[in-house]
């Protein structure tokens, strides 16, 4: 079982908070440290003060130099945020800075208000997925083009002419993660282009159903299901004791009865929940921290390793 940490810095965490959590996560033995790629807090309504925000790939570049072993990446970058060529350059360079530890989670984009706030075009959902599909092909070709050669691409949304596929990443290629709820197009994109399919906050019983669909999709695409990592992201709130759990949930504003694909409970209860999900085919878990500054929570979660 591969346990990774997922953070949401757009909710108000600066780089020093991210660095402290990443360094500790590496020391504790977690397999990865991933962050969302957002510029606005997800629950922001009218009138609230704007918390601190940061760019995902700038932050990951810095974290690449602050850590030495742990995998780093996004879950997920919106394809609407960056053109595919510059995105490939960014990911390749951060992969080089990390010594080959970067993974790219890439999605279609969904947060319309965020796009409006930062002047990013936000087309209809079909167009966003069409652009995502073209980006996945471009990135794949970029990272597989031999040294000294170029490639060109002509699509409905992007056109590359004699791209030299530089700079080179350490990994050939950096792993791509495609996520979603298990709908047909997302599964097809994962089967065709990704190293991993990530199921977002699944409720009980969902992973087994989605894995069945993923098996059928892989077969239709001529791919062996076993070559595609099946992972899941879960909000996590864990305590060594019931009292510690209650205190931590209270400080984070969480309901202990929450049923939204969350891992909430004592260490033993969380371990049992992950084991049940593992029986449904999930081999990698992203544990989303409700409070990035609660570093003792990382120590509690490390007891699951």
């Amino acid at each position: 079982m591969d346990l990774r940490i997922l953070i949401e810095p757009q909710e108000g965490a600066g780089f020093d908070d991210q660095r402290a959590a990443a360094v500790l996560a590496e020391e504790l033995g977690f397999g990865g440290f991933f962050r969302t790629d957002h510029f606005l807090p997800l629950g922001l309504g009218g009138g609230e003060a704007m918390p601190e925000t940061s760019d995902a790939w700038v932050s990951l570049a810095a974290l690449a130099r602050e850590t030495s072993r742990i995998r780093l990446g996004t879950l997920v970058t919106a394809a609407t945020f960056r053109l595919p060529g510059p995105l490939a350059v960014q990911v390749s360079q951060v992969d080089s800075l990390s010594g080959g530890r970067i993974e790219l989670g890439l999605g279609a984009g969904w947060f319309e208000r965020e796009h409006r706030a930062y002047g990013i075009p936000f087309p209809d959902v079909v167009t966003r997925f069409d652009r995502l599909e073209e980006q996945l092909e471009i990135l794949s070709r970029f990272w597989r083009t031999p040294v000294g050669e170029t490639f060109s691409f002509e699509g409905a949304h992007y056109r590359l002419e004699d791209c030299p596929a530089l700079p080179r990443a350490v990994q050939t290629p950096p792993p791509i993660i495609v996520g979603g709820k298990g709908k047909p197009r997302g599964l097809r994109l994962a089967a065709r282009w990704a190293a991993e399919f990530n199921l977002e906050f699944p409720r009980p019983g969902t992973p087994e159903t989605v894995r069945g669909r993923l098996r059928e999709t892989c077969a239709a695409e001529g791919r062996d299901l076993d070559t595609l990592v099946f992972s899941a992201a879960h909000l996590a709130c864990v305590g060594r004791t019931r009292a510690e759990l209650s205190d931590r949930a209270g400080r984070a504003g969480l309901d202990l009865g929450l049923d939204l694909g969350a891992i909430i409970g004592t260490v033993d209860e969380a371990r049992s929940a992950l084991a049940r999900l593992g029986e449904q085919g999930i081999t990698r878990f992203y544990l989303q921290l409700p409070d990035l500054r609660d570093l003792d929570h990382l120590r509690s979660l490390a007891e699951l390793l």
Side-chain angles (χ1 to χ4, degrees):
M1 185 183 298
D2 181 7
L3 295 186
R4 297 178 167 188
I5 297 300
L6 174 62
I7 64 170
E8 297 211 51
Q10 78 279 351
E11 302 302 325
F15 178 73
D16 287 344
D17 299 313
Q18 297 175 56
R19 176 178 56 194
V23 169
L24 180 58
E26 180 170 83
E27 291 176 356
L28 292 170
F30 287 97
F33 188 83
F34 280 62
R35 58 156 290 165
T36 53
D37 193 353
H38 285 293
F39 299 127
L40 286 185
L42 304 188
L44 185 69
E48 292 100 332
M50 179 65 67
E52 188 170 0
T53 192
S54 58
D55 181 88
W57 287 99
V58 172
S59 299
L60 289 170
L63 291 176
R65 308 303 287 180
E66 298 282 347
T67 57
S68 60
R69 178 198 58 80
I70 199 165
R71 305 287 296 180
L72 301 167
T74 54
L75 204 65
V76 296
T77 285
T80 48
F81 277 14
R82 299 167 180 87
L83 296 172
L87 177 60
V89 170
Q90 288 175 310
V91 176
S92 296
Q93 187 168 4
V94 181
D95 191 56
S96 179
L97 289 170
S98 71
R101 294 182 286 123
I102 283 295
E103 301 182 18
L104 169 65
L106 191 63
W110 63 271
F111 193 7
E112 184 175 2
R113 180 175 179 180
E114 177 178 59
H115 288 70
R116 293 201 312 267
Y118 284 89
I120 304 169
F122 188 75
D124 62 85
V125 65
V126 173
T127 301
R128 296 200 306 276
F129 269 91
D130 289 345
R131 291 183 176 182
L132 170 62
E133 185 160 9
E134 288 190 15
Q135 286 210 10
L136 289 167
E137 181 174 352
I138 290 166
L139 290 166
S140 179
R141 293 181 63 183
F142 188 104
W143 288 321
R144 287 180 169 85
T145 296
V147 176
E149 296 185 17
T150 65
F151 78 96
S152 297
F153 176 87
E154 185 77 43
H157 301 283
Y158 303 108
R159 181 175 185 271
L160 285 74
E161 183 176 341
D162 296 330
C163 178
L166 296 172
R168 308 299 297 186
V170 173
Q171 300 176 95
T172 53
I176 293 176
I177 304 165
V178 170
K181 301 291 187 183
K183 294 183 178 181
R185 190 167 188 184
L187 294 175
R188 180 173 60 81
L189 292 179
R192 185 170 293 181
W193 302 112
E196 175 180 338
F197 178 78
N198 180 261
L199 187 59
E200 301 173 1
F201 310 106
R203 294 179 181 274
T206 303
E208 196 167 25
T209 300
V210 173
R211 184 169 172 79
R213 296 175 189 159
L214 191 57
R215 180 180 292 106
E216 295 173 357
T217 305
C218 283
E221 293 291 331
R223 179 170 181 177
D224 182 352
L225 177 64
D226 291 338
T227 66
L228 184 64
V229 174
F230 186 43
S231 67
H234 301 270
L235 176 66
C237 186
V238 170
R240 300 176 186 88
T241 65
R242 181 61 57 177
E244 181 182 283
L245 170 64
S246 179
D247 177 65
R248 177 163 288 132
R251 284 186 280 112
L254 292 179
D255 178 0
L256 288 178
L258 191 69
D259 181 24
L260 294 173
I263 302 295
I264 298 178
T266 63
V267 170
D268 287 342
E269 290 169 342
R271 186 179 292 114
S272 296
L274 292 174
R276 288 192 297 272
L277 289 163
E279 291 171 357
Q280 297 181 59
I282 296 173
T283 59
R284 178 176 293 159
F285 296 91
Y286 294 83
L287 304 178
Q288 182 189 58
L289 303 181
D291 181 0
L292 179 55
R293 298 179 180 88
D294 182 3
L295 295 181
D296 193 54
H297 191 199
L298 278 173
R299 298 183 180 94
S300 296
L301 290 170
E303 296 187 23
L304 301 171
L305 292 168

